[in-house]
Amino acid sequence: MGKLIVLTGPSGVGKGTLLTALLQNHPEIYLSISATTRSPRPGEVHGQNYYFLTKSQFAEMIAAGEFLEWAEFAGNYYGTPRKAIADQIAEDKIVLLEIEVQGARQVRQSFPEALQIFILPPSVAELEKRIRGRGQDPEEAILKRLKQAETELAAASEFDIQIVNDDLNQALCAIEAAIFN
Ligand code: 5GP
């Protein structure tokens, strides 16, 4: 049997950068590709970053029970397709989900043996700077993400491990230690 790792933390905390570095160091890790109803950002590719779906396509997948978990986040839907995860775990792979808090809670119910890691920002001010600094989202979306970030930070203690992403390398080492201990 493989291993399921859930990586969570507020938008802008640097999960994406940490993931890229982690996958570079450990290409054997399987990163789950989520489905979303959000529009692609410049450079994002369907089937690579996300499966970009319409709301009705997403609703069909919910109805068919095809998601391991799904949640609404900042006005869009996001979900983890169940089948790829099950296949990879059956093949002894380490499977990584990068999802928000509500989805992580659902995984905790259905997959209690999953390792749940929460990434914290060095401070709330730094988080706001990073969310704004991305410069790709409209102001309304930024405000939604900031509000959501507050709620998410309050949930940090529910997770097995909390890692502060101040120095990227230190945070990466802490994640590697948690996964490969
Ligand atoms: P973004 O729009 O910035 O790509 O992602 C917004 C939030 O949705 C992030 O916190 C990300 O971790 C989360 N997310 C991405 N995919 C999924 C998923 O499949 N399920 C859930 N619950 N959250 C997801």
Side-chain angles (χ1 to χ4, degrees):
M1 279 296 270
K3 203 171 177 180
L4 186 63
I5 314 286
V6 178
L7 195 69
T8 307
S11 172
V13 81
K15 284 173 292 180
T17 313
L18 281 166
L19 264 187
T20 307
L22 182 67
L23 293 173
Q24 246 164 25
N25 287 356
H26 306 278
E28 75 277 15
I29 294 177
Y30 176 83
L31 176 66
S32 162
I33 301 171
S34 297
T36 183
T37 60
R38 142 164 108 56
S39 310
R41 295 192 182 116
E44 284 186 332
V45 177
H46 178 77
Q48 202 169 307
N49 303 90
Y50 280 106
Y51 298 108
F52 294 101
L53 304 183
T54 62
K55 281 201 168 152
S56 67
Q57 287 171 323
F58 198 97
E60 274 173 33
M61 284 187 70
I62 295 175
E66 288 179 31
F67 287 123
L68 175 66
E69 60 73 34
W70 64 272
E72 189 180 351
F73 179 92
N76 287 298
Y77 292 93
Y78 295 82
T80 304
R82 186 191 292 280
K83 187 173 182 315
I85 306 296
D87 291 350
Q88 295 293 323
I89 289 186
E91 283 182 28
D92 285 346
K93 294 274 174 57
I94 295 175
V95 175
L96 190 65
L97 308 184
E98 190 256 276
I99 61 177
E100 51 67 72
V101 166
Q102 304 162 75
R105 287 189 179 126
Q106 293 169 44
V107 176
R108 207 177 294 149
Q109 297 298 317
S110 58
F111 227 112
E113 64 275 37
L115 174 68
Q116 297 221 341
I117 303 174
F118 193 96
I119 309 294
L120 286 161
S123 67
V124 173
E126 177 63 26
L127 184 68
E128 176 159 0
K129 208 170 110 195
R130 290 184 195 171
I131 292 177
R132 292 191 173 279
R134 184 149 61 192
Q136 287 180 343
D137 293 324
E139 179 67 16
E140 193 198 337
I142 289 175
L143 292 177
K144 276 188 189 167
R145 278 164 191 269
L146 287 171
K147 197 156 175 287
Q148 193 91 29
E150 273 178 40
T151 316
E152 296 216 324
L153 286 172
S157 62
E158 290 173 22
F159 288 76
D160 297 322
I161 301 175
Q162 295 81 26
I163 294 171
V164 178
N165 185 20
D166 190 357
D167 176 83
L168 178 76
N169 277 322
Q170 269 180 23
L172 182 60
C173 282
I175 293 174
E176 287 174 328
I179 296 178
F180 298 103
N181 68 359

